[in-house]
Structure formats: C-alpha cells, structure tokens
C-alpha cells in the first residue's frame, strides 16, 4: 500500500515541529521470529508525549513470508497500526527501500529486528531531531547477552560501539540504521534510496556517506538506546570470522581501500602468532581484521569466500 510522498515547497520550513507529527517505524526482518516478536511488543509501548503518532512497517526479506504469523498475531489488537510486506529478493537495501515506500508521515525510523528499545526511545529521537533541526538522529546500540559471554569477548569489546554526546554532528563512519530517525523529505529524491548493490550489508553507511556529501546533517542522541540481542552463537570465533569475511566482500568506496588491504594482510598475518601468545582477545581482534582485508582482495579478484547473503 504505497503512499504519495509529500514534497516540501519553498515556503515551508522542513525543520519546524508540526502538531502531532506522524512517524513510521520501519523494521526489516529475516528469519528471526522470536526476536521480531520481542521488538514489536516493545514498539507497542512507545511513549509519544502527545506530540506525534506512529505506525509500524514490517518488511519480511524472506520469500517464504516466515514472519507473517508473528506479525499477524500482533495485528489482531495492534496499537499502533502495523502493516506487513514481503520483499522476496534477499537484499537488505531493497527491503529498506520497500519499507520507505510503504511509510507514512514526516519521519521514518529504522530499528533492527534483533533490537529492543526503551519506552522513551522514539520520543527522545524525535525531540532531539526537532531541537537540533537536523535531518536525522542516531542513538546507541547496546549489547544484551543471552548468556554470559567468554572473557575474551568482554575484554575485546567485540559488541561495543562508539558513543557520542547528544547533539554531536556525525561523520558517515559513525552512522548506521540500527537506531535512527530520519526526515521523510530525504527520500523525496529517488537518488537517495538505498543502493541495491549493497544487498548483504553496508547499505546504511553508504547511504549516510552520500547524504552527508549532499549537505544533510545527522546528530546523536545518547539518551535513546536500543538493546541488541547477542545470542551465544554470536560470541563464537567461527561466527565472527564468517561475518568478517562477508563484510570484506561488500562493495568498496575507493581503490584506496584495496591498497590498504594489500598492505594490511602481511602485517596482520605476521603479528597473529605473537598475539596468540600474548592475549587471545587481541589475537581475535586482528584475525577478524585480517579476514576482512583478505575477503576484500578476493572480492576484487571476483572470488566470494562467503556465499550466504546474511551472516
């Protein structure tokens, strides 16, 4: 169910808070029914502060529509309104674009299907966006471990992400779509859509890189965290290595990235035996970096080390 995009005319102020603004919270999902259910329950409990209304758009990136049952169970007594759509081609960028196409209102939020926000999450993002007159606001993604992780995972801080002060303007290297509120007007230009060549990931940083180059401004809200589920399998060496190999295969922005990889591979590989003796968390940190660079070089040669779309 597509909605006509509202264009901003010259006499309108896109940064002025409109009474009862409308937000579409977009969730792209792939075969995570239990995590998706936890997220949707949390989204039903969002505090609006009386300043906006919101709805939820779920895009299932599984052609078998495996999330349909989970979503429809909540649709029976759904408040806020919720819609369900399927993007049959396994491609996260296409899934995000379908979510945008089915979103309504002046703002679009993205949250991942393995995350859970606090009740004040959306209100804090919205308030920061209005007060900062920014084009979008990002918030922290904090790990929530299902079981206590191994000590080397804790010491290496493998699931920690950088944080910033509220209102700080972000560089594209510090951006992602796991916790973000965007002004819908950004997508009035079809060139600003997520690029489908980033079908296995990296589409978000590519999006922000392009938007910041066009002059859009994105800021941070430290008071609007979401909690990312980290099951036991994500704390294993094999999972981290496979994810690094997949990440290295993503399209690169400049030839300089490949040159850096050619330099990094022999240096990291030579350091690994020493790091293995010194500290396991350091060994794993640089092994992951090494795998990332190795996959990048193989990708340049047309060789994909990981065949799966998602890890």
């Amino acid at each position: 169910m597509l909605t006509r995009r509202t264009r901003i005319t010259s006499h309108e102020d896109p940064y002025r808070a409109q009474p009862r603004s409308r937000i579409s919270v977009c969730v792209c999902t792939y075969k995570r029914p239990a995590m998706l259910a936890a997220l949707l329950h949390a989204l039903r409990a969002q505090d609006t502060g009386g300043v906006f209304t919101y709805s939820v758009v779920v895009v299932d990136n599984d052609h078998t529509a495996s999330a349909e049952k989970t979503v429809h169970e909540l649709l029976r007594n759904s408040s806020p309104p919720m819609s369900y759509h399927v993007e049959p081609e396994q491609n996260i960028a296409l899934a995000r674009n379908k979510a945008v196409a089915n979103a309504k209102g002046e703002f679009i939020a993205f949250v991942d299907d393995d995350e859970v926000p606090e009740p004040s999450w959306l209100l804090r993002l919205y308030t920061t966006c209005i007060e900062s007159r920014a084009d979008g606001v990002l918030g922290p993604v904090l790990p929530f471990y299902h079981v206590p992780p191994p000590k080397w995972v804790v010491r290496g801080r493998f699931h920690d992400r950088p944080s910033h002060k509220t209102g700080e303007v972000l560089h594209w290297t510090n951006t992602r779509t796991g916790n973000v509120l965007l002004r819908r007007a950004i997508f009035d230009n079809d060139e600003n859509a997520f690029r489908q060549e980033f079908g296995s990931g990296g589409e978000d940083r590519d999006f922000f890189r392009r938007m910041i180059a066009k002059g859009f401004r994105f800021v941070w809200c430290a008071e609007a965290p979401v909690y990312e589920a980290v099951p036991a399998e994500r704390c294993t060496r094999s999972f981290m290595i496979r994810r690094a190999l997949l990440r290295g295969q993503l399209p690169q922005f400049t030839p300089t990235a490949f040159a850096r990889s050619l330099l990094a591979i022999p240096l990291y590989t030579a350091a690994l035996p020493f790091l293995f003796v010194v500290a396991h968390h350091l060994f794993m940190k640089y092994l992951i970096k090494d795998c990332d660079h190795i996959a990048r070089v193989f990708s340049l040669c047309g060789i994909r080390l990981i065949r799966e779309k998602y890890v």
Side-chain angles (χ1 to χ4, degrees):
M1 185 169 59
L2 301 177
T3 59
R4 189 175 67 181
R5 296 177 180 177
T6 303
R7 300 254 176 198
I8 296 177
T9 59
S10 58
H11 65 274
E12 292 176 326
D13 180 358
Y15 301 101
R16 181 169 59 88
Q18 301 293 328
R20 301 281 291 179
S21 295
R22 187 169 183 180
I23 301 173
S24 285
V25 181
C26 297
V27 180
C28 298
T29 187
Y30 180 74
K31 294 184 177 181
R32 291 173 174 168
M35 292 182 182
L36 177 63
L39 167 60
L40 295 180
H41 279 292
L43 290 179
R44 295 175 69 177
Q46 289 297 299
D47 176 18
T48 69
V51 295
F52 63 83
T53 61
Y54 71 102
S55 57
V56 179
V57 178
V58 178
V59 175
D60 191 349
N61 204 194
D62 180 11
H63 71 279
T64 67
S66 57
E68 184 173 15
K69 181 180 178 181
T70 301
V71 176
H72 283 180
E73 285 179 352
L74 289 172
L75 278 174
R76 296 171 186 168
N77 299 299
S78 180
S79 177
M82 192 178 301
S83 63
Y84 174 77
H85 313 271
V86 176
E87 171 50 60
E89 182 176 344
Q90 195 177 354
N91 183 305
I92 184 58
L94 293 181
R96 293 201 189 282
N97 289 337
K98 177 159 284 191
V100 171
N102 287 279
K104 300 178 177 67
E106 302 80 27
F107 295 87
I108 295 175
F110 276 104
V111 60
D112 288 348
D113 63 349
D114 58 353
E115 298 171 347
V116 173
E118 294 183 343
S120 60
W121 166 69
L122 200 54
L123 179 59
R124 289 176 174 175
L125 288 179
Y126 176 80
T127 301
T128 300
C129 193
I130 296 300
E131 292 179 350
S132 65
R133 299 168 66 87
D135 298 292
V137 180
L138 287 79
V141 177
L142 307 177
F144 177 78
Y145 294 101
H146 287 189
V147 297
K151 291 182 179 180
W152 63 268
V153 172
V154 177
R155 293 187 65 188
R157 305 182 68 177
F158 290 98
H159 299 105
D160 292 352
R161 295 178 174 89
S163 190
H164 313 273
K165 293 181 179 179
T166 295
E168 180 178 337
V169 178
L170 299 174
H171 187 267
W172 69 265
T173 54
N174 292 320
T175 58
R176 60 189 177 275
T177 49
N179 178 1
V180 63
L181 178 71
L182 303 168
R183 292 186 184 269
R184 172 60 185 268
I186 294 174
F187 297 100
D188 284 350
N189 184 344
D190 292 337
E191 294 181 355
N192 295 349
F194 295 95
R195 294 163 64 193
Q196 63 179 334
E197 55 263 44
F198 290 84
S200 295
E203 82 296 337
D204 47 0
R205 296 180 77 187
D206 169 71
F207 167 80
F208 284 108
R209 178 184 64 85
R210 291 184 290 118
M211 296 308 102
I212 290 173
K214 290 185 175 185
F216 291 102
R217 188 170 61 94
F218 304 97
V219 304
W220 188 258
C221 178
E223 295 79 28
V226 299
Y227 297 89
E228 180 184 38
V230 186
E233 58 267 25
R234 293 192 190 179
C235 296
T236 61
R237 300 171 185 84
S238 60
F239 176 85
M240 293 183 182
I241 291 171
R242 288 177 64 245
R243 175 165 281 188
L245 292 173
L246 177 63
R247 184 171 57 244
Q249 296 175 170
L250 301 179
Q252 303 302 318
F253 304 136
T254 65
T256 305
F258 294 106
R260 283 200 298 265
S261 292
L262 290 174
L263 292 173
I265 290 171
L267 293 175
Y268 289 161
T269 303
L272 289 177
F274 172 75
L275 294 173
F276 183 80
V277 175
V278 173
H280 189 67
H281 71 283
L282 292 177
F283 168 78
M284 282 302 303
K285 181 170 289 187
Y286 283 91
L287 176 59
I288 289 170
K289 291 177 181 288
D290 205 12
C291 290
D292 199 319
H293 288 294
I294 290 171
R296 184 177 298 171
V297 173
F298 271 85
S299 177
L300 180 63
C301 300
I303 301 172
R304 291 181 60 88
L305 298 177
I306 299 293
R307 295 293 180 181
E308 300 96 321
K309 279 281 190 175
Y310 304 142
V311 173

